[in-house]
mmCIF file of all heavy atoms in Angstrom:
data_model
loop_
_atom_site.group_PDB
_atom_site.id
_atom_site.type_symbol
_atom_site.label_atom_id
_atom_site.label_comp_id
_atom_site.label_asym_id
_atom_site.label_seq_id
_atom_site.Cartn_x
_atom_site.Cartn_y
_atom_site.Cartn_z
ATOM 1 N N VAL A 1 -13.376 28.887 -0.318
ATOM 2 C CA VAL A 1 -12.790 27.946 -1.281
ATOM 3 C C VAL A 1 -11.284 28.165 -1.286
ATOM 4 O O VAL A 1 -10.790 29.277 -1.047
ATOM 5 C CB VAL A 1 -13.341 28.101 -2.714
ATOM 6 C CG1 VAL A 1 -14.815 27.733 -2.777
ATOM 7 C CG2 VAL A 1 -13.120 29.522 -3.248
ATOM 8 N N VAL A 2 -10.575 27.050 -1.544
ATOM 9 C CA VAL A 2 -9.136 27.106 -1.809
ATOM 10 C C VAL A 2 -8.975 26.789 -3.311
ATOM 11 O O VAL A 2 -9.495 25.779 -3.785
ATOM 12 C CB VAL A 2 -8.377 26.070 -0.940
ATOM 13 C CG1 VAL A 2 -6.910 26.036 -1.333
ATOM 14 C CG2 VAL A 2 -8.540 26.422 0.543
ATOM 15 N N ILE A 3 -8.269 27.668 -3.999
ATOM 16 C CA ILE A 3 -8.047 27.436 -5.447
ATOM 17 C C ILE A 3 -6.552 27.161 -5.638
ATOM 18 O O ILE A 3 -5.682 27.914 -5.183
ATOM 19 C CB ILE A 3 -8.510 28.655 -6.281
ATOM 20 C CG1 ILE A 3 -10.005 28.915 -6.011
ATOM 21 C CG2 ILE A 3 -8.254 28.426 -7.740
ATOM 22 C CD1 ILE A 3 -10.550 30.132 -6.761
ATOM 23 N N GLU A 4 -6.257 26.018 -6.294
ATOM 24 C CA GLU A 4 -4.890 25.538 -6.393
ATOM 25 C C GLU A 4 -4.487 25.357 -7.845
ATOM 26 O O GLU A 4 -5.326 25.084 -8.689
ATOM 27 C CB GLU A 4 -4.743 24.174 -5.709
ATOM 28 C CG GLU A 4 -4.995 24.160 -4.227
ATOM 29 C CD GLU A 4 -4.788 22.800 -3.635
ATOM 30 O OE1 GLU A 4 -4.470 21.847 -4.398
ATOM 31 O OE2 GLU A 4 -4.886 22.650 -2.425
ATOM 32 N N GLU A 5 -3.172 25.412 -8.057
ATOM 33 C CA GLU A 5 -2.677 25.038 -9.376
ATOM 34 C C GLU A 5 -2.933 23.554 -9.639
ATOM 35 O O GLU A 5 -2.963 22.743 -8.705
ATOM 36 C CB GLU A 5 -1.144 25.329 -9.474
ATOM 37 C CG GLU A 5 -0.286 24.408 -8.632
ATOM 38 C CD GLU A 5 1.196 24.554 -8.922
ATOM 39 O OE1 GLU A 5 1.588 24.649 -10.092
ATOM 40 O OE2 GLU A 5 1.972 24.546 -7.932
ATOM 41 N N PHE A 6 -3.083 23.213 -10.889
ATOM 42 C CA PHE A 6 -3.276 21.823 -11.295
ATOM 43 C C PHE A 6 -1.904 21.157 -11.382
ATOM 44 O O PHE A 6 -0.987 21.666 -12.013
ATOM 45 C CB PHE A 6 -3.962 21.789 -12.648
ATOM 46 C CG PHE A 6 -4.101 20.395 -13.234
ATOM 47 C CD1 PHE A 6 -5.050 19.527 -12.786
ATOM 48 C CD2 PHE A 6 -3.224 19.990 -14.234
ATOM 49 C CE1 PHE A 6 -5.179 18.254 -13.328
ATOM 50 C CE2 PHE A 6 -3.318 18.711 -14.793
ATOM 51 C CZ PHE A 6 -4.326 17.829 -14.316
ATOM 52 N N LEU A 7 -1.781 20.000 -10.719
ATOM 53 C CA LEU A 7 -0.527 19.271 -10.721
ATOM 54 C C LEU A 7 -0.601 18.037 -11.655
ATOM 55 O O LEU A 7 -1.578 17.305 -11.631
ATOM 56 C CB LEU A 7 -0.176 18.801 -9.314
ATOM 57 C CG LEU A 7 0.068 19.900 -8.253
ATOM 58 C CD1 LEU A 7 0.295 19.270 -6.891
ATOM 59 C CD2 LEU A 7 1.249 20.786 -8.650
ATOM 60 N N GLU A 8 0.455 17.824 -12.428
ATOM 61 C CA GLU A 8 0.558 16.646 -13.272
ATOM 62 C C GLU A 8 1.237 15.523 -12.513
ATOM 63 O O GLU A 8 2.143 15.772 -11.718
ATOM 64 C CB GLU A 8 1.369 16.957 -14.537
ATOM 65 C CG GLU A 8 0.710 17.970 -15.447
ATOM 66 C CD GLU A 8 -0.276 17.359 -16.438
ATOM 67 O OE1 GLU A 8 -0.524 16.127 -16.320
ATOM 68 O OE2 GLU A 8 -0.772 18.082 -17.275
ATOM 69 N N GLY A 9 0.851 14.268 -12.774
ATOM 70 C CA GLY A 9 1.519 13.157 -12.177
ATOM 71 C C GLY A 9 0.546 12.033 -11.810
ATOM 72 O O GLY A 9 -0.566 11.973 -12.346
ATOM 73 N N GLU A 10 1.002 11.170 -10.926
ATOM 74 C CA GLU A 10 0.202 10.043 -10.477
ATOM 75 C C GLU A 10 -0.035 10.143 -8.972
ATOM 76 O O GLU A 10 0.920 10.406 -8.229
ATOM 77 C CB GLU A 10 0.913 8.725 -10.805
ATOM 78 C CG GLU A 10 0.045 7.504 -10.643
ATOM 79 C CD GLU A 10 0.676 6.240 -11.232
ATOM 80 O OE1 GLU A 10 1.566 6.353 -12.072
ATOM 81 O OE2 GLU A 10 0.245 5.163 -10.784
ATOM 82 N N GLU A 11 -1.281 9.946 -8.549
ATOM 83 C CA GLU A 11 -1.603 10.078 -7.122
ATOM 84 C C GLU A 11 -1.332 8.789 -6.362
ATOM 85 O O GLU A 11 -1.441 7.698 -6.911
ATOM 86 C CB GLU A 11 -3.079 10.449 -6.944
ATOM 87 C CG GLU A 11 -3.431 11.860 -7.358
ATOM 88 C CD GLU A 11 -4.858 12.212 -6.986
ATOM 89 O OE1 GLU A 11 -5.286 11.896 -5.868
ATOM 90 O OE2 GLU A 11 -5.554 12.815 -7.856
ATOM 91 N N ALA A 12 -0.959 8.921 -5.081
ATOM 92 C CA ALA A 12 -0.845 7.772 -4.216
ATOM 93 C C ALA A 12 -1.247 8.199 -2.800
ATOM 94 O O ALA A 12 -1.179 9.354 -2.440
ATOM 95 C CB ALA A 12 0.579 7.212 -4.207
ATOM 96 N N SER A 13 -1.663 7.205 -2.009
ATOM 97 C CA SER A 13 -2.069 7.425 -0.625
ATOM 98 C C SER A 13 -0.953 6.953 0.274
ATOM 99 O O SER A 13 -0.520 5.818 0.203
ATOM 100 C CB SER A 13 -3.339 6.673 -0.309
ATOM 101 O OG SER A 13 -4.376 6.968 -1.199
ATOM 102 N N PHE A 14 -0.441 7.883 1.073
ATOM 103 C CA PHE A 14 0.679 7.572 1.980
ATOM 104 C C PHE A 14 0.192 7.759 3.429
ATOM 105 O O PHE A 14 -0.059 8.891 3.867
ATOM 106 C CB PHE A 14 1.856 8.525 1.684
ATOM 107 C CG PHE A 14 3.204 8.036 2.160
ATOM 108 C CD1 PHE A 14 4.065 7.399 1.328
ATOM 109 C CD2 PHE A 14 3.586 8.243 3.481
ATOM 110 C CE1 PHE A 14 5.301 6.960 1.750
ATOM 111 C CE2 PHE A 14 4.820 7.792 3.937
ATOM 112 C CZ PHE A 14 5.662 7.158 3.073
ATOM 113 N N ILE A 15 0.020 6.664 4.133
ATOM 114 C CA ILE A 15 -0.636 6.714 5.447
ATOM 115 C C ILE A 15 0.353 6.188 6.500
ATOM 116 O O ILE A 15 1.015 5.180 6.319
ATOM 117 C CB ILE A 15 -1.917 5.858 5.440
ATOM 118 C CG1 ILE A 15 -2.837 6.222 4.284
ATOM 119 C CG2 ILE A 15 -2.676 6.014 6.797
ATOM 120 C CD1 ILE A 15 -4.046 5.325 4.131
ATOM 121 N N VAL A 16 0.422 6.922 7.606
ATOM 122 C CA VAL A 16 1.345 6.552 8.685
ATOM 123 C C VAL A 16 0.574 6.585 10.004
ATOM 124 O O VAL A 16 -0.503 7.196 10.134
ATOM 125 C CB VAL A 16 2.564 7.516 8.776
ATOM 126 C CG1 VAL A 16 3.378 7.483 7.506
ATOM 127 C CG2 VAL A 16 2.137 8.943 9.105
ATOM 128 N N ILE A 17 1.127 5.906 11.012
ATOM 129 C CA ILE A 17 0.608 5.910 12.379
ATOM 130 C C ILE A 17 1.526 6.813 13.205
ATOM 131 O O ILE A 17 2.746 6.678 13.145
ATOM 132 C CB ILE A 17 0.583 4.498 12.976
ATOM 133 C CG1 ILE A 17 -0.442 3.642 12.219
ATOM 134 C CG2 ILE A 17 0.273 4.514 14.452
ATOM 135 C CD1 ILE A 17 -0.385 2.171 12.553
ATOM 136 N N CYS A 18 0.939 7.790 13.939
ATOM 137 C CA CYS A 18 1.733 8.756 14.673
ATOM 138 C C CYS A 18 1.309 8.762 16.149
ATOM 139 O O CYS A 18 0.160 8.543 16.456
ATOM 140 C CB CYS A 18 1.478 10.170 14.159
ATOM 141 S SG CYS A 18 1.402 10.326 12.389
ATOM 142 N N ASP A 19 2.272 9.086 17.004
ATOM 143 C CA ASP A 19 1.963 9.252 18.452
ATOM 144 C C ASP A 19 2.248 10.668 18.940
ATOM 145 O O ASP A 19 2.313 10.927 20.129
ATOM 146 C CB ASP A 19 2.752 8.228 19.287
ATOM 147 C CG ASP A 19 4.275 8.499 19.251
ATOM 148 O OD1 ASP A 19 4.704 9.474 18.627
ATOM 149 O OD2 ASP A 19 5.035 7.694 19.852
ATOM 150 N N GLY A 20 2.406 11.610 17.989
ATOM 151 C CA GLY A 20 2.712 12.988 18.322
ATOM 152 C C GLY A 20 4.182 13.333 18.105
ATOM 153 O O GLY A 20 4.538 14.467 17.875
ATOM 154 N N LYS A 21 5.050 12.282 18.168
ATOM 155 C CA LYS A 21 6.493 12.457 17.959
ATOM 156 C C LYS A 21 7.021 11.475 16.946
ATOM 157 O O LYS A 21 7.816 11.818 16.090
ATOM 158 C CB LYS A 21 7.224 12.253 19.286
ATOM 159 C CG LYS A 21 7.107 13.361 20.313
ATOM 160 C CD LYS A 21 7.945 13.051 21.543
ATOM 161 C CE LYS A 21 7.804 14.159 22.583
ATOM 162 N NZ LYS A 21 8.426 15.406 22.139
ATOM 163 N N HIS A 22 6.642 10.204 17.058
ATOM 164 C CA HIS A 22 7.203 9.140 16.245
ATOM 165 C C HIS A 22 6.189 8.701 15.175
ATOM 166 O O HIS A 22 4.983 8.881 15.358
ATOM 167 C CB HIS A 22 7.571 7.950 17.108
ATOM 168 C CG HIS A 22 8.462 8.299 18.248
ATOM 169 N ND1 HIS A 22 8.212 7.895 19.549
ATOM 170 C CD2 HIS A 22 9.599 9.058 18.336
ATOM 171 C CE1 HIS A 22 9.143 8.383 20.365
ATOM 172 N NE2 HIS A 22 10.007 9.073 19.634
ATOM 173 N N VAL A 23 6.748 8.102 14.137
ATOM 174 C CA VAL A 23 5.933 7.712 12.992
ATOM 175 C C VAL A 23 6.265 6.278 12.557
ATOM 176 O O VAL A 23 7.443 5.923 12.469
ATOM 177 C CB VAL A 23 6.225 8.674 11.788
ATOM 178 C CG1 VAL A 23 5.550 8.172 10.536
ATOM 179 C CG2 VAL A 23 5.759 10.052 12.137
ATOM 180 N N VAL A 24 5.244 5.495 12.259
ATOM 181 C CA VAL A 24 5.425 4.169 11.643
ATOM 182 C C VAL A 24 4.611 4.140 10.353
ATOM 183 O O VAL A 24 3.372 4.295 10.445
ATOM 184 C CB VAL A 24 5.009 3.027 12.602
ATOM 185 C CG1 VAL A 24 5.005 1.704 11.890
ATOM 186 C CG2 VAL A 24 5.915 2.980 13.830
ATOM 187 N N PRO A 25 5.212 3.972 9.203
ATOM 188 C CA PRO A 25 4.458 3.996 7.967
ATOM 189 C C PRO A 25 3.702 2.697 7.746
ATOM 190 O O PRO A 25 4.143 1.609 8.095
ATOM 191 C CB PRO A 25 5.537 4.193 6.885
ATOM 192 C CG PRO A 25 6.809 3.744 7.480
ATOM 193 C CD PRO A 25 6.681 3.891 8.967
ATOM 194 N N LEU A 26 2.522 2.824 7.150
ATOM 195 C CA LEU A 26 1.764 1.658 6.706
ATOM 196 C C LEU A 26 2.127 1.377 5.241
ATOM 197 O O LEU A 26 2.860 2.121 4.619
ATOM 198 C CB LEU A 26 0.243 1.967 6.796
ATOM 199 C CG LEU A 26 -0.299 2.148 8.218
ATOM 200 C CD1 LEU A 26 -1.730 2.605 8.180
ATOM 201 C CD2 LEU A 26 -0.206 0.848 8.983
ATOM 202 N N ALA A 27 1.608 0.250 4.715
ATOM 203 C CA ALA A 27 1.853 -0.074 3.311
ATOM 204 C C ALA A 27 1.254 0.998 2.417
ATOM 205 O O ALA A 27 0.246 1.629 2.739
ATOM 206 C CB ALA A 27 1.227 -1.437 3.022
ATOM 207 N N THR A 28 1.887 1.198 1.276
ATOM 208 C CA THR A 28 1.409 2.214 0.332
ATOM 209 C C THR A 28 0.151 1.674 -0.375
ATOM 210 O O THR A 28 -0.098 0.479 -0.410
ATOM 211 C CB THR A 28 2.477 2.530 -0.722
ATOM 212 O OG1 THR A 28 2.816 1.345 -1.431
ATOM 213 C CG2 THR A 28 3.720 3.121 -0.040
ATOM 214 N N SER A 29 -0.596 2.612 -0.943
ATOM 215 C CA SER A 29 -1.801 2.244 -1.637
ATOM 216 C C SER A 29 -2.175 3.285 -2.674
ATOM 217 O O SER A 29 -1.620 4.402 -2.673
ATOM 218 C CB SER A 29 -3.000 2.079 -0.649
ATOM 219 O OG SER A 29 -3.199 3.251 0.078
ATOM 220 N N GLN A 30 -3.098 2.943 -3.562
ATOM 221 C CA GLN A 30 -3.577 3.903 -4.542
ATOM 222 C C GLN A 30 -5.080 3.792 -4.662
ATOM 223 O O GLN A 30 -5.619 2.677 -4.775
ATOM 224 C CB GLN A 30 -2.898 3.676 -5.913
ATOM 225 C CG GLN A 30 -3.183 4.776 -6.907
ATOM 226 C CD GLN A 30 -2.302 4.641 -8.141
ATOM 227 O OE1 GLN A 30 -2.352 3.638 -8.848
ATOM 228 N NE2 GLN A 30 -1.496 5.646 -8.428
ATOM 229 N N ASP A 31 -5.741 4.934 -4.592
ATOM 230 C CA ASP A 31 -7.227 5.017 -4.648
ATOM 231 C C ASP A 31 -7.597 5.367 -6.084
ATOM 232 O O ASP A 31 -6.810 5.821 -6.887
ATOM 233 C CB ASP A 31 -7.647 6.135 -3.665
ATOM 234 C CG ASP A 31 -9.156 6.250 -3.532
ATOM 235 O OD1 ASP A 31 -9.868 5.363 -3.970
ATOM 236 O OD2 ASP A 31 -9.612 7.253 -2.947
#
């Protein structure tokens, strides 16, 4: 198990496309 401190705030999903070196971000989203 990994035990972590509890973080306050709002969650968001940040998804990008990678080729090992370069990155292109996708649109932001929230689950």
